[in-house]
Amino acid sequence: MAKARIGNRIRRLRFERGEMTQEELAARAGCTRQTIIALEQGKYVPSIELAFKIARTFGVTLEDVFQYEE
Amino acid sequence: MMSYNKFKILRLFVVIVAGFLAAWAAYNGYAWIPAPALIAAIIILLLFRRGLREITVDERTFSIAYKASRVAFVAFGVGAVAIGATLLALGQSGQPELKPVGFTLCYSICALVIIYSVAYSVYNRKFGGQA
């Protein structure tokens, strides 16, 4: 079975939003900066709740931020 | 409001003071000092954490803590049972002073497994599983 992976466009979205810092995104999404770093590096997959919070912070849908890759 | 770096320094200081107090009290036979000292340290740290301006604990922290506690649980369980059983066996074969240590280790694992089972049952019900 192929390994599934959740990819994301957080880094790109941050830069499209006027180079929003990781710290600012973390504060607005209610998580730590370390979590944002881990997400951008693809080392951590967030919960549905945090995924929605991040998407709402950017004002986009969940699938604009996260992609399910098989 | 406090920065995380300042919080880390204060946390280290509080842990050192509480540890020193508990060790000093244990060494000098003041049985009533260690528990209040540790409780006071926990309360002080919780108050400091409230004063933080940035988030320091989130779901990733809990995820890491969960995995770390699983590893610690298994490592301690297997290690303590192996050492405890060895000490009990040695206690049976001519070194009786090792028996209490072996029993303590083995019973501590029993207690840990009971606590784990109760906690698992509680969380299983909380998150919708059947008892």
Side-chain angles (χ1 to χ4, degrees), chain A residues 31-32 34-35 44 46-47 50, chain B residues 55-60 63:
Chain A
C31 63
T32 64
Q34 294 303 315
T35 295
Y44 178 68
S47 67
L50 180 58
Chain B
I55 296 164
T56 56
V57 176
D58 65 1
E59 60 174 48
R60 185 175 143 274
S63 174

Side-chain angles (χ1 to χ4, degrees), chain B residues 1-7 10 43-56:
Chain B
M1 293 301 244
M2 191 192 308
S3 71
Y4 185 57
N5 281 338
K6 195 174 173 186
F7 170 74
L10 284 170
I43 291 169
I44 290 168
L45 287 177
L46 286 174
L47 290 175
F48 280 157
R49 178 164 276 176
R50 273 189 176 181
L52 274 175
R53 68 164 164 255
E54 58 187 291
I55 296 164
T56 56

Side-chain angles (χ1 to χ4, degrees), chain B residues 38-110:
Chain B
L38 293 178
I39 291 167
I42 291 168
I43 291 169
I44 290 168
L45 287 177
L46 286 174
L47 290 175
F48 280 157
R49 178 164 276 176
R50 273 189 176 181
L52 274 175
R53 68 164 164 255
E54 58 187 291
I55 296 164
T56 56
V57 176
D58 65 1
E59 60 174 48
R60 185 175 143 274
T61 320
F62 288 119
S63 174
I64 293 167
Y66 160 76
K67 285 177 180 163
S69 62
R70 292 273 308 173
V71 171
F73 182 79
V74 172
F76 178 71
V78 173
V81 165
I83 294 169
T86 306
L87 292 176
L88 282 177
L90 287 171
Q92 293 284 59
S93 60
Q95 288 171 291
E97 71 276 8
L98 295 176
K99 258 187 173 179
V101 184
F103 274 123
T104 305
L105 278 173
C106 290
Y107 282 130
S108 70
I109 288 304
C110 290

Side-chain angles (χ1 to χ4, degrees), chain A residues 33-52:
Chain A
R33 195 173 74 87
Q34 294 303 315
T35 295
I36 299 298
I37 292 168
L39 286 169
E40 288 188 356
Q41 291 176 345
K43 290 182 177 173
Y44 178 68
V45 177
S47 67
I48 295 284
E49 187 181 357
L50 180 58
F52 270 112

Side-chain angles (χ1 to χ4, degrees), chain A residues 4-22:
Chain A
R5 189 180 166 277
I6 309 285
N8 69 71
R9 297 175 57 241
I10 293 175
R11 187 186 291 263
R12 174 173 293 197
L13 285 162
R14 276 199 305 114
F15 282 97
E16 285 174 4
R17 301 290 184 284
E19 303 211 356
M20 181 192 284
T21 63
Q22 291 172 330

